Amino acid sequence: MDAPPAAYAIDRACGEHDQPDIPHMSLESFLIALANPWPGQAFERYFGYLDGEPVGHLELGLPLMDNLDNVYVGLNVLPSARRHGVGRALLDLAVERARTLGRRHLQGSTVLRHPDGPAFARVVGAAPGLEETRSRLDVRTVDQARLDAMLADAWQHAGGYRLILWTGVPADEIIDDVAYLDSRFNADAPIGDLALEPEKVDAEKIREAEQRRVQTGRTTYHAGMLHGDRLVAWTTLVGLQAEPAHAWQSITLVDRAHRGHRLGILIKLANLAQIRQLQPGVEVIDTYNAGANEHMLRINVAMGFREVDASIEWQLTL
Ligand SMILES: CC(C)(COP(=O)(O)OP(=O)(O)OC[C@H]1O[C@@H](n2cnc3c(N)ncnc32)[C@H](O)[C@@H]1OP(=O)(O)O)[C@@H](O)C(=O)NCCC(=O)NCCS
């Protein structure tokens, strides 16, 4: 058996079954992603078998620079092979590996749209750590006049700040600020009951992460706000080149000292305009937000994002 294509086939079948409205990466991008691991993490991968065939795929992500007690669990079992004990066997293996490696918290997410994941997580004794909603903006039907009015109004509150747009790796002048803002995410965004500590992020990690996205067929669009020459707010959209109709709204973060100036809404609206210009085929943008993240949700709703699904980030503590 050729392991990577078999793992890809399982992940893809599960993605299409449990989240049919999200495009899946190509096999080619999956193979490149395997060969270029996410910076600062080690990975282990295992198959679960039924009647001699690989039907389950377990991926363990092991952060190496921070969060050393954690194991990030990706677990997929082919829809046709579920309820035969494969998921439980693979989770037992994940627990055994966590114990061997001296890590205490296993974390993994399930979508609510399909009942299998949450039912399984409850039965194996995991606790719900963070509830998130997935919201979608239909770019084809946005109320542009309304967005223009929001933008003009927001600028009234943002005197002294300058907008900056870029794609891919940030310029040397701002890359340390990007790293700082990125490292604040676990500290500043709601993380519920999950055992997560701020990540250690430096310019090199930002550079590697951006290069990896390019290698795996993605384009990143960024908008930020400068105060003097310091970047104090930052947001990212990620497009998949093979599926130009879809993009992900990723991180949005405003430095604590600069909140209350509408910088969040300004950078999101500016970045929406940027992706519409540079990826004109974009039709929908998806984003995950913690249900408790009132400010971010209010901005998203004002822009026209509407809830389409929800997910739970589970934690099993040994
Ligand atoms: C979650 C998942 C991995 C479970 O795989 P599986 O091979 O079906 O799991 P098991 O057969 O070992 O099921 C173990 C128990 O979970 C519970 N369970 C699983 N699916 C269930 C469902 N739809 N309804 C009720 N209970 C369910 C049952 O108690 C089951 O035991 P039983 O079949 O003896 O009653 C699989 O459904 C999946 O790939 N889902 C999509 C991805 C995902 O959510 N992964 C988990 C997050 S890391």
Side-chain angles (χ1 to χ4, degrees):
M1 175 192 51
D2 195 358
Y8 173 78
I10 295 168
D11 287 356
R12 181 166 186 141
C14 290
E16 285 170 351
H17 181 260
D18 296 305
Q19 294 179 288
D21 60 337
I22 294 182
H24 209 79
M25 70 164 78
S26 66
L27 172 59
E28 190 194 4
S29 292
F30 180 80
L31 296 178
I32 295 169
L34 280 188
N36 298 275
W38 197 248
Q41 267 191 59
F43 291 90
E44 296 184 3
R45 296 181 179 83
Y46 302 92
F47 285 118
Y49 292 83
L50 191 64
D51 301 328
E53 292 297 321
V55 297
H57 178 214
L58 171 69
E59 180 184 88
L60 304 180
L62 307 165
L64 300 174
M65 320 275 284
D66 45 59
N67 292 286
L68 299 177
D69 279 344
N70 293 356
V71 178
Y72 305 132
V73 178
L75 174 57
N76 281 315
V77 175
L78 284 178
S80 56
R82 291 183 186 173
R83 306 297 296 270
H84 291 284
V86 176
R88 204 185 272 275
L90 284 172
L91 187 75
D92 287 347
L93 175 60
V95 168
E96 184 192 313
R97 290 299 299 145
R99 284 193 206 284
T100 303
L101 295 165
R103 296 185 180 235
R104 295 175 52 224
H105 305 293
L106 291 98
Q107 297 171 354
S109 103
T110 66
V111 295
L112 291 190
R113 179 178 278 208
H114 201 282
D116 287 354
F120 174 81
R122 266 184 215 104
V123 150
V124 299
L130 180 67
E131 292 186 20
E132 295 190 295
T133 55
R134 175 162 63 92
S135 309
R136 170 165 283 195
L137 179 69
D138 191 327
V139 179
R140 295 161 296 189
T141 58
V142 289
D143 183 345
Q144 192 57 47
R146 186 176 141 76
L147 295 191
D148 291 345
M150 280 167 63
L151 189 65
D153 178 56
W155 272 118
Q156 301 296 317
H157 299 80
Y161 293 93
R162 278 185 300 135
L163 178 69
I164 177 173
L165 301 173
W166 73 95
T167 60
V169 179
D172 288 351
E173 295 77 43
I174 55 166
I175 196 164
D176 290 334
D177 291 337
V178 170
Y180 170 75
L181 291 173
D182 198 19
S183 75
R184 295 301 302 162
F185 190 74
N186 284 349
D188 286 2
I191 55 166
D193 297 325
L194 296 174
L196 283 175
E197 59 185 42
E199 289 184 18
K200 291 193 177 124
V201 188
D202 58 12
E204 198 42 42
K205 190 172 178 191
I206 294 289
R207 212 170 267 123
E208 278 179 33
E210 284 296 327
Q211 284 161 354
R212 182 181 190 276
R213 282 165 161 163
V214 171
Q215 285 164 333
T216 54
R218 294 174 166 82
T219 307
T220 54
Y221 308 90
H222 306 267
M225 278 292 172
L226 293 167
H227 189 252
D229 57 1
R230 303 304 305 269
L231 186 82
V232 298
W234 168 49
T235 190
T236 301
L237 287 161
V238 184
L240 200 58
Q241 284 152 22
E243 300 277 354
H246 187 269
W248 282 103
Q249 167 68 57
S250 176
I251 190 168
T252 301
L253 206 123
V254 179
D255 193 36
R256 276 184 184 276
H258 297 273
R259 299 209 178 143
H261 297 278
R262 309 272 169 96
L263 304 189
I265 187 95
L266 276 171
I267 54 178
K268 289 192 85 160
L269 287 172
N271 214 22
L272 175 61
Q274 173 169 234
I275 196 173
R276 291 181 81 181
Q277 190 184 356
L278 299 181
Q279 188 173 310
V282 67
E283 294 179 358
V284 293
I285 298 175
D286 279 317
T287 189
Y288 275 106
N289 296 108
N293 200 343
E294 282 172 42
H295 295 307
M296 196 76 266
L297 280 168
R298 201 175 311 131
I299 291 176
N300 288 345
V301 168
M303 286 177 71
F305 278 90
R306 294 293 173 261
E307 185 174 341
V308 288
D309 196 0
S311 69
I312 296 181
E313 200 67 42
W314 299 86
Q315 179 164 286
L316 185 65
T317 297
L318 306 180

